[in-house]
Amino acid sequence: MFSFWAKSLVEKLITLFFISIISFSVVMLAPGDPSEIDPLNPKFTQEDIQRLRKAFDLDKPLPVQYYLFYKKLFTNELRSYKDNQPVLKKITERFLNSLPLFLVGTLLTWCLAFPLGIQAALRRQSLFDRSTTFFSYFFISLPSFFLAYVLIIFIVKVFNVPVIGLQTFGRESVSWWYLINDRIWHLVLPSVLSAIGGIAILSRYVRSQMLEVIEQDYVRTALAKGLPPDTVYYKHALRNALLPFVTMFGLTLPGLIGGSVIIESIFSWPGMGRLGYDAILARDYPLILSLNFIAACLVLVGTFISDLLYMVVDPRISLISESKG
Amino acid sequence: MSQDKEILLEIKNLKTYFRTSQGEIRAVDGINLTLSRGETLGIIGESGCGKTVTSLSIMRLIKPPSGRIAGGQVIFQGKNLLDLPEQAMQKVRGNNIGMIFQEPMTSLNPVFRIGEQIMETLITHRMLSRAEARERTLDIMSKVGIPSPQIRIDEYPHQMSGGMKQRAMIGMAIACNPQVLIADEPTTALDVTMQAQIINLLYQLQQEMGMSILLITHDLGVIAEMAHQVAVMYASRVVEQATVEELFRQPLHPYTIGLFHSLPCLGGRGRRLEAIQGQVPNPLNFPPGCKFWPRCSLADQRCRQEEPDLVQIDSNRWVACWRVSKAGGDRIKGLPCSSSRDDGKEGKVIISLQEDSQGQQKDGQLALVEGERLDDRGSALIGSGPYSPARSFEKIIEVRNLRKFFPIRRGFWRRTKAVVKAVDGLSLSINHGQTLGLVGESGCGKTTVGRLILRLMEPTSGDVLFKGTSLYSLKGEALRKIRQKMQIIFQDPYSSLNPRLTVGNIVGEALTAHGIARGRERRALVENLFAKVGLSPSYINRYPHEFSGGQRQRIGIARALALSPEFIVCDEAVSALDVSIQAQIINLLQKLQEEMNLSYLFIAHNLAVVEHISHKIAIMYLGQIVEQMPADKLVKIAAHPYTLALLSSNPVTDPSLRGRQPPLSGDVPSPINLPPGCRFYPRCPRAEKRCREENPELLEREKDHWVRCWLC
Ligand SMILES: Nc1ncnc2c1ncn2[C@@H]1O[C@H](COP(=O)(O)OP(=O)(O)OP(=O)(O)O)[C@@H](O)[C@H]1O
Ligand code: SF4
Ligand code: SF4
Ligand SMILES: [Mg+2]
């Protein structure tokens, strides 16, 4: 048991180390230099550039830069090239903005996709199954920005509530009740939009998984035992059908840092997606690399959680027998 | 079906159809069966004839929308199960009628504990509390022979062996003391020794609990051991039904007779198997008239037009054949596998064997169903004379002290924690033009030996000589040259052929790869090979999925023959086939051996098949040969306790011997961390103190008879 944890941890750390090197090299070796961000500015003299390069450690050899960069990252001394703000503070701020969107979106996706997929599978070929199939493909093929604009127009016209941004601008001093209401309205639409695609895809996947499982011999065994259909499908079949999604669940974690550039742009939502996008345009290396590193950590933590969950739900993957061998 | 017995389950004119994209499949087409209290009704038939669909229909587990029960009645305790509301039917399933399935590996839910899965039935039907159910489950587990139930109850299916899982399945099915147990091929997936144990368990349970069993199988031996009544199914219909004694004394339907004659039997070497020609028809286009006529040597004009009904011929016998009647005629010949058949007593029921007046026309008629004719060539080519073993003493293959150990690595540093001694000091030799049969339970290392001999795998130590040249010293061109002379035929005719190549390309591939022939020349060679294995050369542009299992195995053989090999490893080459097809392939292999002077290493777990085809037999247990002898002496001189156990585990087609004690208990132990001493010691009925301490050597007991046992 212990050996599994230790091994997994060491493996993940090694992976992280290589990711850090590779992402650092890719960013640094890419053509262009942060100091050239505004080469046409006449006030930018050669000395200024040198001064800048020195300040950002860009004059040092790459390995040294690598070392300095990660040292600063871990001691929270890293600052953005663009506005000299501490990088971690910037990220935290945006992260807190993105979090509700992510949580509500993910919750909506998982809570709706599963019942839809399962029902579609159990009532295969029924009207319900056919219509969910139709709508899934409809939403999968519809571009999200188009849907977003249609929905915005609809909501604004019908309910007459503003939905752009985190909250309605210029009404900071109103009652708390109004404030909460307002925030929720602003949250709903982008969350729903970011969930729709996910629901469409995930429910398809759940359906096919469930269909596969109900064809299995052990489901037939359960029916032959005379168990009520609900027990057969929701206990025997579902537990098996869920196995692959456990892995997927761990992999949603990196979504925390990704965010959707499109949705955030449409709704002027100051979230993580925009932060990364702007950082790339501005060649803000510290920010890009920090985001990159955090994303890598989240992926690894996610896979680790998946492995753990898998062990809980699938007795065939057992650490104990592994170490007993 | 005598009148004095109480009828428990009666199936009347049952019809179950499936809708598929290619048309309607009549998987069960009007069958009648009766099961009496406390008796076993055996249903026998080849793959796809509707056995499983029958059992699922009784339980009403046919899945809509594609499947439906189109008609008939299933009367159980006076009620028609097909009319019951679904809720009431749930109370019947698992409670009044229990069911066991073929594959213990996939029939248990992998994510729930064994105990939980048995308890569930009790909780649902008997309204027991969890604690009570657990108590009962422990009882049931010991009843079905699961050792240390206290521990096993909390294990998951993957922690148990196949036989143990099947015992758990049985426990689940009998938990509520059902009146009827439906067992769909309960032993097919198991080794012979385990099969004997499970049959005995079912037999004991029946004696004890008095339940009726509907036993479905394709194995005549299992029927002989268990059944009281037998129904023979062919192409969705019952073609013959009789008491087991009657049926085994004298089968009457031509198909049943064919089944008996297809079966190799222990001690019956030297005869050709009389294979039924052709194959089971595709349910999408059954032939008109009697569905057996394209394969029946007695078929006449009427058979091709009208389907015979199942009619009572005798008090204990129903047959669906135009040409079986109470009328006089010659008695058909005795059964090959029987000990007591030729007692000279004339049966009352006689088959009339008038000469087929349309004998000449037959070929033209048969050509109408071309697909079904494919295999006929094969059987036509095979002479009917007795099989004459070639005499040769020159060795083609010599294996010297071969070892193959697989390390098991575990833990953080992946250190070798144990080794699996898959093959441990094995020596054998195969003569030119002869067959060495290698037998043993699953996991004893048979396949590894085959692969080592072909050098598909590197041995840990030891050597293999091909005509005196060491295979393991060869490299490059020289190795390639020798490899052409050595080929393999696999067990699974489905997965061993690339589905994206035409069968012509599959067979011809090696010819191009070795630069032997291409273009027109290659085509001619491939057509020739097809003819040789009994396939029509016009099929070379088709794809593997268009062929039946037996035909695919023929393609596999043609592929192995392409490079004119001298030696072929047949790894369970006939194990996945139905008996009638198995007989065809065995005959084909023997014919090819005679014509081309081939040598075979024939790996299989079925002792009767191996005995039939081999010149020499080696019996393997946990990586070592424990006994070796000329095949014709197997039954007479076998001495090793393991060989004897295999011999008596082999189900005999003689109903008078039922209820025997299974010769071996327990599973094959894992080849990891073997005990010192004789490897068979933990299961050996004759083991002594010395056996525990020292492993005996393989010694020549008398000429050509080698045994590894202290007591022999
Ligand atoms: N769900 C299904 N859909 C379509 N056809 C089916 C279905 N189930 C069975 N069949 C067809 O019904 C026929 C009878 O099948 P069944 O499984 O009863 O054969 P079997 O006698 O049990 O064979 P085996 O020995 O291989 O188990 C076959 O032709 C099969 O292809
Ligand atoms: S009815 Fe005719 S074809 Fe059918 S089994 Fe009898 S003799 Fe053969
Ligand atoms: S050596 Fe002993 S344990 Fe081994 S087979 Fe012979 S009698 Fe049995
Ligand atoms: Mg079946």
Side-chain angles (χ1 to χ4, degrees):
Chain A
M1 191 79 165
F2 172 75
S3 112
F4 173 83
W5 299 120
K7 193 170 146 211
S8 179
L9 192 71
V10 172
E11 259 174 26
K12 304 249 139 83
L13 285 177
I14 293 173
T15 316
L16 197 61
F17 175 66
F18 281 108
I19 292 177
S20 74
I21 292 184
I22 291 168
S23 56
F24 187 82
S25 318
V26 167
V27 171
M28 284 302 174
L29 298 177
D33 191 306
S35 55
E36 295 165 10
I37 194 66
D38 205 2
L40 296 179
N41 188 338
K43 283 187 197 148
F44 242 57
T45 62
Q46 202 57 33
E47 287 99 76
D48 287 331
I49 291 179
Q50 288 310 326
R51 196 163 39 72
L52 263 172
R53 286 182 64 97
K54 201 171 165 65
F56 295 160
D57 302 328
L58 289 172
D59 53 344
K60 307 209 170 57
L62 271 182
V64 181
Q65 286 190 39
Y66 171 83
Y67 168 74
L68 288 173
F69 171 79
Y70 282 100
K71 188 177 147 220
K72 282 185 185 167
L73 176 64
F74 289 123
T75 51
N76 194 14
E77 286 169 32
L78 209 56
R79 281 164 185 279
S80 161
Y81 287 176
K82 201 168 143 200
D83 49 15
N84 219 22
Q85 293 281 314
V87 164
L88 289 185
K89 184 170 152 262
K90 280 180 81 146
I91 294 179
T92 321
E93 228 167 61
R94 292 296 192 97
F95 174 73
L96 289 179
N97 285 344
S98 274
L99 192 61
L101 203 57
F102 171 79
L103 287 181
V104 176
T106 311
L107 214 66
L108 275 177
T109 309
W110 288 71
C111 290
L112 287 176
F114 277 91
L116 282 176
I118 292 166
Q119 283 308 319
L122 293 183
R123 297 194 226 158
R124 194 178 172 187
Q125 307 287 331
S126 67
L127 185 68
F128 177 80
D129 183 27
R130 283 165 208 269
S131 47
T132 48
T133 305
F134 173 78
F135 282 109
S136 298
Y137 287 118
F138 178 74
F139 283 119
I140 290 171
S141 48
L142 206 64
S144 59
F145 67 87
F146 178 74
L147 192 63
Y149 286 122
V150 174
L151 275 183
I152 291 171
I153 292 166
F154 173 75
I155 298 262
V156 173
K157 280 251 159 92
V158 175
F159 298 100
N160 197 21
V161 282
V163 288
I164 304 294
L166 274 180
Q167 58 195 46
T168 310
F169 194 65
R171 300 203 189 155
E172 283 81 4
S173 54
V174 289
S175 73
W176 60 269
W177 169 244
Y178 180 86
L179 248 171
I180 290 178
N181 231 329
D182 184 54
R183 291 289 298 241
I184 289 177
W185 266 113
H186 280 81
L187 186 58
V188 164
L189 204 53
S191 322
V192 167
L193 271 169
S194 64
I196 277 180
I199 294 172
I201 294 169
L202 192 63
S203 68
R204 287 292 85 195
Y205 194 24
V206 171
R207 175 180 177 272
S208 69
Q209 189 61 29
M210 194 71 185
L211 276 181
E212 198 184 310
V213 168
I214 56 182
E215 290 299 323
Q216 296 294 313
D217 288 351
Y218 51 78
V219 172
R220 194 178 61 182
T221 308
L223 285 170
K225 283 199 281 191
L227 304 181
D230 280 355
T231 317
V232 174
Y233 294 123
Y234 293 101
K235 184 176 165 190
H236 284 265
L238 190 58
R239 176 89 185 263
N240 282 282
L242 287 182
L243 293 182
F245 299 102
V246 168
T247 324
M248 271 177 73
F249 190 73
L251 292 180
T252 50
L253 209 60
L256 269 176
I257 191 115
S260 162
V261 181
I262 296 175
I263 298 219
E264 285 176 12
S265 304
I266 293 171
F267 290 93
S268 308
W269 192 277
M272 299 288 289
R274 291 274 297 284
L275 180 68
Y277 181 68
D278 293 342
I280 292 170
L281 290 187
R283 287 197 188 144
D284 194 347
Y285 286 10
L287 194 53
I288 299 172
L289 280 170
S290 306
L291 283 172
N292 200 311
F293 188 75
I294 296 172
C297 290
L298 285 177
V299 170
L300 293 179
V301 171
T303 48
F304 189 63
I305 294 177
S306 291
D307 289 352
L308 274 184
L309 283 176
Y310 220 111
M311 252 158 357
V312 176
V313 293
D314 190 347
R316 282 165 294 187
I317 302 174
S318 154
L319 305 176
I320 296 155
S321 73
E322 175 89 7
S323 53
K324 198 169 58 179
Chain B
M1 288 217 254
S2 33
Q3 257 49 52
D4 48 335
K5 284 179 208 141
E6 184 193 345
I7 288 173
L8 197 58
L9 183 72
E10 193 172 4
I11 298 168
K12 288 187 182 162
N13 200 17
L14 180 70
K15 293 181 178 169
T16 307
Y17 299 164
F18 291 95
R19 250 197 330 245
T20 70
S21 54
Q22 287 129 45
E24 192 170 55
I25 289 182
R26 304 190 161 199
V28 169
D29 200 10
I31 64 168
N32 297 290
L33 295 169
T34 23
L35 179 61
S36 308
R37 188 179 287 281
E39 282 203 348
T40 300
L41 169 65
I43 301 184
I44 184 159
E46 292 179 288
S47 193
C49 66
K51 306 182 298 288
T52 299
V53 173
T54 305
S55 64
L56 292 177
S57 306
I58 296 172
M59 291 289 254
R60 280 193 23 206
L61 290 176
I62 297 292
K63 279 225 193 81
S66 72
R68 73 195 162 94
I69 296 177
Q73 291 178 314
V74 176
I75 296 170
F76 174 70
Q77 295 181 325
K79 282 174 297 190
N80 182 2
L81 294 185
L82 302 184
D83 290 340
L84 285 187
E86 178 57 29
Q87 293 256 319
M89 190 60 209
Q90 276 168 37
K91 295 213 173 68
V92 174
R93 295 189 195 119
N95 191 15
N96 302 112
I97 308 181
M99 192 159 180
I100 317 169
F101 298 97
Q102 173 169 356
E103 277 289 337
M105 315 296 158
T106 54
S107 298
L108 289 168
N109 195 328
V111 302
F112 294 108
R113 296 173 202 277
I114 289 290
E116 170 74 26
Q117 297 188 45
I118 301 179
M119 279 159 65
E120 223 174 17
T121 324
L122 292 164
I123 295 172
T124 311
H125 295 299
R126 289 281 180 268
M127 316 290 165
L128 299 186
S129 71
R130 284 193 69 85
E132 290 165 336
R134 199 179 158 90
E135 275 306 302
R136 278 283 296 138
T137 300
L138 287 171
D139 289 347
I140 291 164
M141 288 175 74
S142 25
K143 193 165 174 181
V144 296
I146 296 178
S148 40
Q150 295 282 358
I151 302 169
R152 294 284 181 179
I153 194 169
D154 289 320
E155 283 191 344
Y156 288 98
H158 72 275
Q159 291 166 292
M160 298 179 137
S161 71
M164 211 55 85
K165 276 186 249 194
Q166 196 58 298
R167 284 175 192 271
M169 274 299 297
I170 294 175
M172 207 183 285
I174 62 158
C176 297
N177 291 320
Q179 290 93 326
V180 176
L181 179 67
I182 301 177
D184 187 359
E185 312 245 11
T187 61
T188 306
L190 306 173
D191 273 320
V192 269
T193 57
M194 187 49 77
Q195 168 165 327
Q197 291 178 37
I198 296 290
I199 290 177
N200 187 259
L201 173 66
L202 286 175
Y203 186 79
Q204 299 297 341
L205 288 172
Q206 183 170 38
Q207 302 289 314
E208 219 176 292
M209 305 168 55
M211 62 192 170
S212 311
I213 300 182
L214 183 68
L215 178 73
I216 293 173
T217 177
H218 64 264
D219 189 334
L220 280 167
V222 174
I223 291 284
E225 303 242 345
M226 283 286 299
H228 300 95
Q229 290 279 330
V230 189
V232 182
M233 278 188 83
Y234 184 78
S236 313
R237 306 260 288 179
V238 174
V239 294
E240 177 161 7
Q241 185 169 348
T243 60
V244 72
E245 293 83 10
E246 279 291 306
L247 191 84
F248 279 72
R249 195 179 63 76
Q250 182 78 89
L252 285 183
H253 192 280
Y255 174 65
T256 323
I257 297 171
L259 277 184
F260 274 96
H261 284 271
S262 298
L263 203 64
C265 49
L266 280 171
R269 263 187 109 251
R271 99 190 142 88
R272 279 279 184 201
L273 296 178
E274 285 165 49
I276 310 173
Q277 60 185 0
Q279 65 203 41
V280 181
N282 181 340
L284 282 168
N285 46 16
F286 278 139
C290 172
K291 288 178 188 134
F292 190 58
W293 77 257
R295 307 175 75 187
C296 182
S297 54
L298 300 177
D300 59 18
Q301 199 56 46
R302 183 176 185 199
C303 304
R304 289 166 207 158
Q305 286 155 359
E306 275 174 81
E307 185 158 23
D309 278 325
L310 191 68
V311 291
Q312 184 157 16
I313 295 210
D314 193 357
S315 60
N316 283 323
R317 171 100 62 172
W318 284 253
V319 180
C321 171
W322 292 126
R323 304 200 49 185
V324 174
S325 65
K326 291 180 191 172
D330 299 322
R331 190 184 163 196
I332 56 158
K333 57 191 156 185
L335 295 176
C337 288
S338 66
S339 48
S340 56
R341 292 303 102 81
D342 271 329
D343 47 8
K345 245 194 284 165
E346 282 289 304
K348 259 193 302 181
V349 182
I350 302 287
I351 190 164
S352 54
L353 280 181
Q354 312 107 354
E355 244 331 291
D356 186 351
S357 52
Q358 280 104 1
Q360 284 316 93
Q361 268 179 37
K362 202 167 141 193
D363 256 293
Q365 294 276 350
L366 283 170
L368 292 175
V369 268
E370 248 244 278
E372 314 304 337
R373 283 279 293 159
L374 275 179
D375 280 2
D376 296 355
R377 283 181 76 96
S379 19
L381 284 169
I382 300 165
S384 55
Y387 172 53
S388 58
R391 266 172 217 271
S392 155
F393 301 105
E394 211 180 312
K395 285 173 187 161
I396 184 161
I397 292 282
E398 199 175 347
V399 174
R400 290 193 182 150
N401 210 6
L402 206 56
R403 289 202 157 76
K404 177 72 190 180
F405 297 170
F406 295 101
I408 300 181
R409 297 180 206 280
R410 290 266 158 78
F412 185 63
W413 303 109
R414 308 211 60 68
R415 267 190 302 237
T416 305
K417 289 274 174 65
V419 286
V420 176
K421 298 184 174 178
V423 177
D424 191 7
L426 181 128
S427 303
L428 49 82
S429 62
I430 301 169
N431 292 345
H432 262 291
Q434 293 211 340
T435 304
L436 173 74
L438 191 60
V439 201
E441 288 168 285
S442 67
C444 72
K446 306 183 296 279
T447 297
T448 314
V449 173
R451 298 182 160 250
L452 286 169
I453 291 180
L454 295 180
R455 209 182 156 180
L456 298 172
M457 204 186 249
E458 296 295 312
T460 310
S461 69
D463 204 354
V464 176
L465 308 182
F466 180 80
K467 292 188 177 173
T469 326
S470 163
L471 269 190
Y472 291 100
S473 64
L474 292 180
K475 283 202 198 69
E477 189 55 26
L479 179 63
R480 240 168 59 94
K481 276 259 148 55
I482 276 203
R483 279 232 167 108
Q484 291 186 20
K485 301 285 162 213
M486 309 170 70
Q487 294 295 324
I488 184 163
I489 304 167
F490 297 97
Q491 165 169 15
D492 189 350
Y494 296 88
S495 61
S496 59
L497 302 177
N498 182 344
R500 274 179 279 282
L501 289 181
T502 63
V503 292
N505 277 329
I506 290 174
V507 173
E509 218 173 14
L511 291 171
T512 319
H514 282 89
I516 293 172
R518 40 181 84 247
R520 294 261 298 279
E521 201 185 340
R522 187 182 100 159
R523 198 188 155 93
L525 281 177
V526 171
E527 285 180 353
N528 202 342
L529 284 167
F530 267 55
K532 216 172 208 154
V533 298
L535 288 172
S536 158
S538 61
Y539 288 100
I540 61 170
N541 287 327
R542 299 201 176 176
Y543 288 87
H545 71 262
E546 299 174 57
F547 294 87
S548 71
Q551 288 171 335
R552 283 187 240 208
Q553 200 55 295
R554 286 176 196 267
I555 295 163
I557 295 172
R559 175 174 60 180
L561 291 179
L563 296 171
S564 327
E566 293 173 36
F567 170 69
I568 299 180
V569 173
C570 309
D571 190 350
E572 303 271 13
V574 299
S575 309
L577 304 173
D578 273 321
V579 271
S580 71
I581 309 296
Q582 174 178 302
Q584 292 171 4
I585 300 292
I586 291 175
N587 285 344
L588 174 66
L589 287 172
Q590 288 188 329
K591 180 198 73 154
L592 292 170
Q593 181 166 51
E594 281 163 21
E595 283 174 7
M596 306 167 70
N597 199 29
L598 291 171
S599 314
Y600 297 131
L601 174 66
F602 192 87
I603 300 174
H605 61 267
N606 184 328
L607 207 50
V609 169
V610 172
E611 189 215 37
H612 182 85
I613 198 171
S614 310
H615 299 91
K616 220 163 45 174
I617 295 186
I619 288 124
M620 217 178 150
Y621 189 74
L622 288 179
Q624 296 185 325
I625 289 180
V626 296
E627 185 162 10
Q628 185 174 327
M629 69 201 102
D632 46 1
K633 298 212 183 114
L634 171 72
V635 186
K636 274 171 253 144
I637 63 172
H640 194 282
Y642 181 61
T643 315
L644 294 174
L646 284 184
L647 277 171
S648 54
S649 297
N650 209 59
V652 284
T653 46
D654 188 344
S656 59
L657 296 177
R658 63 177 55 197
R660 296 173 302 156
Q661 202 56 32
L664 282 189
S665 54
D667 286 328
V668 189
S670 111
I672 310 172
N673 299 332
L674 288 166
C678 175
R679 297 194 171 177
F680 190 52
Y681 160 73
R683 298 170 82 192
C684 181
R686 296 177 64 193
E688 295 182 345
K689 183 157 168 291
R690 180 161 52 151
C691 310
R692 188 178 349 184
E693 286 145 11
E694 246 181 300
N695 195 9
E697 290 291 316
L698 188 65
L699 296 175
E700 191 158 20
R701 194 172 169 245
E702 52 192 75
K703 187 166 177 343
D704 291 333
H705 183 203
W706 298 74
V707 190
R708 186 192 290 277
C709 172
W710 290 124
L711 303 184
C712 303

